[in-house]
Amino acid sequence: MIPNVFVSSTIDDLHHLRDAVRDTIQEDLAYNPVMSEYGDVGYLPHISVQDSCYVSLRKCQIVIVFLGKRYGSVSPNGFSVTHNEFREARASGIPTIAFVDQEVLTFKKVFDSQKSDTIPPVFPGMEAPEKTFRFIQEIIDAGTNNAIIAFGKVSEARGHLKRQLASMFGELLSSRYDPIKAEIKDILSEVITLRHELSKNQAVDYRLLTATRFLLDDKHKYYRDFIEYTVGPIETAVEQLLKAKTFEEFARLARTEIKVVPDDNNQGIQLRDLMEGGDMIFAHSGMGMPSAPGERSSTTYYICFRGNRAMLNRAALEKLSWHHEQLRLKVGSRPEPN
């Protein structure tokens, strides 16, 4: 299969860069570039232009993000189109490569070093600099896939892109043909289950093994993060998960208060602002994944913790409930041992 590469950036100010990158992807590497201005995005009649871009993005194997001096037009959720596309890629588990104009990175260092009570400096040529700097910081703060690649010239960006894609391809080949790596998660899940059962001097419950394998799957990382924050290690939480018929019941067993905050009022805006301001102990956000029934692909989900209270929007609750339902189905699909 030839990879599809989605290119995300503002267009008018970076059109020369985008044209050059398209040549690199298409001519030099023989991959399929997906770029809206070239008609690579199919605009579907029943959804918005932005949602159509998300549909095309989710069909890609990698997303390239370029950040220049313009933040870009802002969507109804308060983020730019490029920012939303980046979040959609992360939520969908698609690898991203982030390139940032070298001068913008220099401006960010100045911005980060200034004191809060001083007059903000002027950054020539930049539109909404604080939003751009927060976008860059969001990439940096991610636990993985958080590299920032600086570029000053188009030729530099093209060279860096080739090397990054070559590195990812090499890693893919290495992991694809390593039979040991393919079994690591199964072995880890068995070790966790055995450790749990031996500590209680019980026979192995294969439902625990199935549940542990489910939680170790990266497709359920969002759910696993919630569990590990509220209860602790997987082996500690798995019994409560198996007892709970619904996600809400699990939250009660975990002694976590769930408060749903609507998106369409001031509370939703306040919740997002609290997350961005770092006021919460733990925060998780991203674009809604279409694999969870009831979610809209363009819906952003939020979840924040303070103590034993979790504040989240409806999309996040639906997402967590869907994961719990899938766990119940997975465990229930295997008979208990005699």
Side-chain angles (χ1 to χ4, degrees):
M1 181 187 73
I2 298 176
N4 296 320
V5 182
F6 191 94
V7 180
S8 177
S9 75
T10 52
I11 295 178
D12 291 343
D13 58 324
L14 298 179
H15 64 92
H16 293 303
L17 173 62
R18 290 175 65 90
D19 290 344
V21 166
R22 184 178 181 85
D23 288 341
T24 299
I25 296 171
Q26 192 171 45
E27 303 299 331
D28 298 348
L29 302 173
Y31 296 167
N32 297 324
V34 178
M35 304 171 69
S36 58
E37 69 269 37
Y38 284 91
D40 301 323
V41 173
Y43 297 112
L44 305 177
H46 60 286
I47 58 177
S48 68
V49 170
Q50 193 166 344
D51 285 351
S52 294
C53 287
Y54 297 151
V55 171
S56 295
L57 182 149
R58 287 193 293 269
K59 295 177 182 178
C60 295
Q61 284 69 54
I62 190 167
V63 173
I64 311 298
V65 177
F66 288 97
L67 297 182
K69 292 183 178 180
R70 289 188 62 242
Y71 180 67
S73 56
V74 176
S75 302
N77 68 352
F79 298 103
S80 71
V81 174
T82 303
H83 202 157
N84 279 327
E85 288 172 347
F86 167 78
R87 289 186 160 199
E88 177 74 10
R90 286 297 177 90
S92 300
I94 301 173
T96 59
I97 301 177
F99 293 85
V100 182
D101 185 305
Q102 179 64 68
E103 191 172 12
V104 173
L105 289 176
T106 301
F107 288 159
K108 184 179 183 301
K109 289 181 181 179
V110 175
F111 177 81
D112 291 342
S113 64
Q114 71 175 355
K115 297 181 180 179
S116 58
D117 57 348
T118 59
I119 299 175
V122 176
F123 301 106
M126 289 204 69
E127 168 204 89
E130 292 190 24
K131 289 186 176 181
T132 299
F133 298 151
R134 284 202 296 268
F135 186 2
I136 296 170
Q137 194 61 47
E138 180 178 326
I139 299 172
I140 295 171
D141 289 342
T144 58
N145 195 195
N146 58 351
I148 296 290
I149 302 171
F151 71 92
K153 300 178 181 178
V154 171
S155 58
E156 291 177 355
R158 293 184 66 170
H160 289 320
L161 178 59
K162 289 180 184 180
R163 286 188 287 272
Q164 288 299 313
L165 290 175
S167 176
M168 295 179 73
F169 183 64
E171 179 64 23
L172 175 64
L173 288 176
S174 176
S175 60
R176 174 65 179 84
Y177 294 103
D178 187 342
I180 297 176
K181 288 185 178 180
E183 299 177 3
I184 285 178
K185 288 185 179 178
D186 279 347
I187 294 172
L188 181 58
S189 62
E190 291 176 9
V191 169
I192 291 174
T193 303
L194 286 171
R195 184 172 62 191
H196 175 83
E197 298 299 346
L198 289 173
S199 67
K200 296 188 175 183
N201 198 25
Q202 297 176 351
V204 174
D205 184 345
Y206 286 93
R207 296 180 307 149
L208 297 178
L209 180 59
T210 302
T212 303
R213 283 176 174 165
F214 177 92
L215 294 172
L216 288 174
D217 192 324
D218 287 342
K219 291 187 296 184
H220 308 292
K221 183 180 184 302
Y222 182 75
Y223 185 49
R224 185 174 70 240
D225 287 347
F226 180 92
I227 292 167
E228 290 180 338
Y229 185 86
T230 54
V231 179
I234 291 175
E235 60 262 40
T236 304
V238 72
E239 283 192 354
Q240 294 181 10
L241 286 167
L242 293 177
K243 290 178 183 177
K245 294 182 179 179
T246 65
F247 168 73
E248 288 87 346
E249 184 178 348
F250 167 71
R252 288 194 295 272
L253 291 174
R255 298 181 180 179
T256 300
E257 178 188 353
I258 298 293
K259 178 177 174 57
V260 178
V261 180
D263 292 297
D264 55 355
N265 63 11
N266 291 332
Q267 283 184 294
I269 297 173
Q270 180 184 12
L271 176 57
R272 187 173 67 234
D273 290 344
L274 286 170
M275 287 180 60
E276 292 181 353
D279 192 54
M280 294 296 178
I281 295 174
F282 172 85
H284 205 321
S285 68
M287 299 302 296
M289 296 174 64
S291 57
E295 284 190 20
R296 299 187 303 275
S297 61
S298 60
T299 300
T300 305
Y301 54 80
Y302 303 101
I303 177 168
C304 305
F305 282 93
R306 178 174 284 157
N308 65 342
R309 189 184 195 195
M311 291 191 293
L312 65 168
N313 64 352
R314 177 62 58 181
L317 178 61
E318 291 175 356
K319 183 180 182 67
L320 291 166
S321 297
W322 179 82
H323 282 296
H324 190 84
E325 180 183 351
Q326 295 303 304
L327 172 64
R328 298 276 302 176
L329 291 172
K330 188 73 173 178
V331 172
S333 66
R334 295 191 59 167
E336 295 185 38
N338 295 326

